[in-house]
Amino acid sequence: MTAAGSTGTASSPGPAPAGPPAYRDGNVLRWLAAFIATMIGEGVYFLALAWAALETGGPAQVGLIMMVGALPRAVLMLGGGVLADRFGPRPVVIGSDAVRCAVILGVAAALHLSAPGLWLLLTVALVFGAVDALFMPAIGALTPRIAPASQLARIQGMRSLGMRLGNTAGPPVGGAAMALGGLEAAFAVAGLLFALSLPFLLSLRVSPLPAPHTGAQEAEPTAGSAWADLRAGLRYLGRHRLLRPLVLTGVLVELALAGPLNVGLVLLADERGWGAAGMAWVISAFGLGAAASALLLTARGRLPRAGALVLASIAVAAVALTAVGLLPSVPAAAAAAGTAGLAAGLCGGLALALTQTSADPRYLGRVMSVLALGNIGLAPLTFPMVGAAIGLWGTAPVYLAAGLLGLAAAAVGSASAELRRAELPG
């Protein structure tokens, strides 16, 4: 499946070049090593930043620092997509990792000389958040340039496994560094992990952009201002018959899942008397389900009827999420959470692969920035809403409402014949 032109009609792709599966492709493995290093580095960084904020001023300071770091990510995310399309995703990814490395190592050096101050933590949170806004759309636009389109579903599975490894390993690594050498050691380890990613990124072989689509005016790169590029990208996305419902559905799913999974589980465990151990079992079950879907995508690569499978997975995830909030026992809720994780992981991996194989490469950075904005900019806004709603009405109505929103997302996607019939190249 290739990009649609200004009318949204997809042209037929040529056969993908033959090559090894992604998990045996040295180019992809170098990308994966760099990605895992950055994910672990981010985990160490966020732990060290939160601990430094706590030492400086208490819990309120932690919230302030984290909010300051999140704001530039939300505000600048679309601009990051413009830069990725203008200059290419590889230099943007390399540049953002290099800046993060330098900033974090600079913080480690400053902490070696003096105690952490509010101004220092605010500055590093602001800079790191701004650079993250460049990194995230670019890393999404990079993968179609390092492997054939037939391998993108496998790469999404590998990416999901890399994210889970980074999220799991980052906090323990940061904790061990702080135990051995204090905050400066933790920041130094985070900076070195970003530095470790740079040789892998520099060694990547990146394919050039394909020739422009014949007769597709919207597929031509713009030559105006950054604002004009952004408007052109949004116009392209709005006119694309597959990407428009795919991105809209993805944002709705994220809004449905984010609050109940990040805030709701804590309040659910407290309401049901499960305790921290019960909550941990439910969270672990969701993570295991998501990891199983990532392994499936990595092993199988292409799954038939990918668009229909995305929509079915959304519906299953929505029903399973509702069950988590309604079932009374930890084992039953954990089983439902595992099902939700499996379905959500399958939906997310296939949807990203469809996005990357369907978008014109000249617009992919901007398309990925819209997706990232939904995940990072909009989804966290549901956290206080979910907490307040549970305080007023309890967990069951909130989980039921989240499930209904997930089913509504599936219904919105099902209204698109292009999405129902979408296939991955193979």
Side-chain angles (χ1 to χ4, degrees):
M1 195 175 296
T2 58
S6 58
T7 62
T9 304
S11 58
S12 299
Y23 52 77
R24 285 194 282 173
D25 185 333
N27 203 40
V28 174
L29 292 177
R30 288 191 294 274
W31 167 85
L32 182 63
F35 183 72
I36 291 173
T38 60
M39 288 297 101
I40 299 175
E42 284 194 0
V44 175
Y45 159 76
F46 282 117
L47 178 67
L49 182 68
W51 198 264
L54 184 63
E55 284 192 355
T56 303
Q61 200 94 302
V62 176
L64 173 65
I65 297 295
M66 294 304 176
M67 183 190 70
V68 167
L71 281 175
R73 276 196 295 272
V75 172
L76 300 176
M77 191 69 69
L78 296 179
V82 171
L83 288 180
D85 288 336
R86 276 202 165 196
F87 301 106
R90 181 171 175 265
V92 174
V93 168
I94 292 172
S96 59
D97 257 9
V99 171
R100 291 194 291 188
C101 172
V103 168
I104 296 173
L105 290 178
V107 173
L111 292 179
H112 182 70
L113 299 174
S114 64
L118 177 61
W119 68 269
L120 176 65
L121 300 180
L122 287 173
T123 301
V124 69
L126 191 65
V127 173
F128 194 95
V131 177
D132 242 11
L134 307 183
F135 175 83
M136 299 190 71
I139 197 70
L142 180 61
T143 50
R145 306 279 291 273
I146 63 173
S150 60
Q151 297 300 312
L152 289 179
R154 277 198 172 99
I155 292 177
Q156 292 311 319
M158 297 165 69
R159 177 181 180 273
S160 180
L161 289 172
M163 287 183 66
R164 302 213 163 268
L165 176 59
N167 293 336
T168 302
V173 170
M178 281 194 287
L180 292 173
L183 281 171
E184 64 222 57
F187 278 108
V189 168
L192 291 174
L193 283 164
F194 285 113
L196 178 63
S197 72
L198 292 174
F200 294 110
L201 293 171
L202 290 167
S203 66
L204 286 180
R205 299 187 309 274
V206 178
S207 62
L209 283 173
H213 297 286
T214 304
Q217 184 178 358
E218 282 291 338
E220 296 296 333
T222 58
S225 65
W227 178 245
D229 282 358
L230 176 57
R231 285 185 299 170
L234 296 176
R235 188 166 57 247
Y236 169 78
L237 176 59
R239 293 178 179 177
H240 200 294
R241 293 178 182 173
L242 173 59
L243 292 177
R244 182 179 65 244
L246 188 59
V247 170
L248 177 60
T249 300
V251 171
L252 290 175
V253 170
E254 191 66 29
L255 292 176
L257 296 180
L261 290 175
N262 288 278
V263 176
L265 283 180
V266 178
L267 302 177
L268 179 66
D270 179 66
E271 182 181 288
R272 302 286 168 82
W274 294 346
M279 181 185 68
W281 277 110
V282 176
I283 293 174
S284 297
F286 183 90
L288 286 173
S293 69
L295 286 171
L296 174 64
L297 288 175
T298 302
R300 288 290 305 274
R302 182 183 185 275
L303 295 178
R305 302 198 64 187
L309 191 52
V310 165
L311 298 171
S313 299
I314 293 172
V316 171
V319 173
L321 178 68
T322 302
V324 170
L326 300 180
L327 293 171
S329 69
V330 171
T339 303
L342 178 65
L346 194 61
C347 160
L350 288 174
L352 276 173
L354 281 172
T355 300
Q356 292 173 339
T357 54
S358 301
D360 189 294
R362 294 164 182 76
Y363 289 87
L364 183 54
R366 281 162 282 184
V367 172
M368 296 303 297
S369 71
V370 174
L371 273 176
L373 178 62
N375 294 343
I376 294 173
L378 298 180
L381 298 179
T382 65
F383 295 173
M385 296 169 58
V386 166
I390 289 177
L392 290 173
W393 301 301
T395 55
V398 173
Y399 272 82
L400 181 60
L404 290 175
L405 179 57
L407 291 175
V412 168
S414 298
S416 166
E418 284 76 11
L419 180 50
R420 294 196 307 270
R421 297 194 298 259
E423 293 280 6
L424 289 169

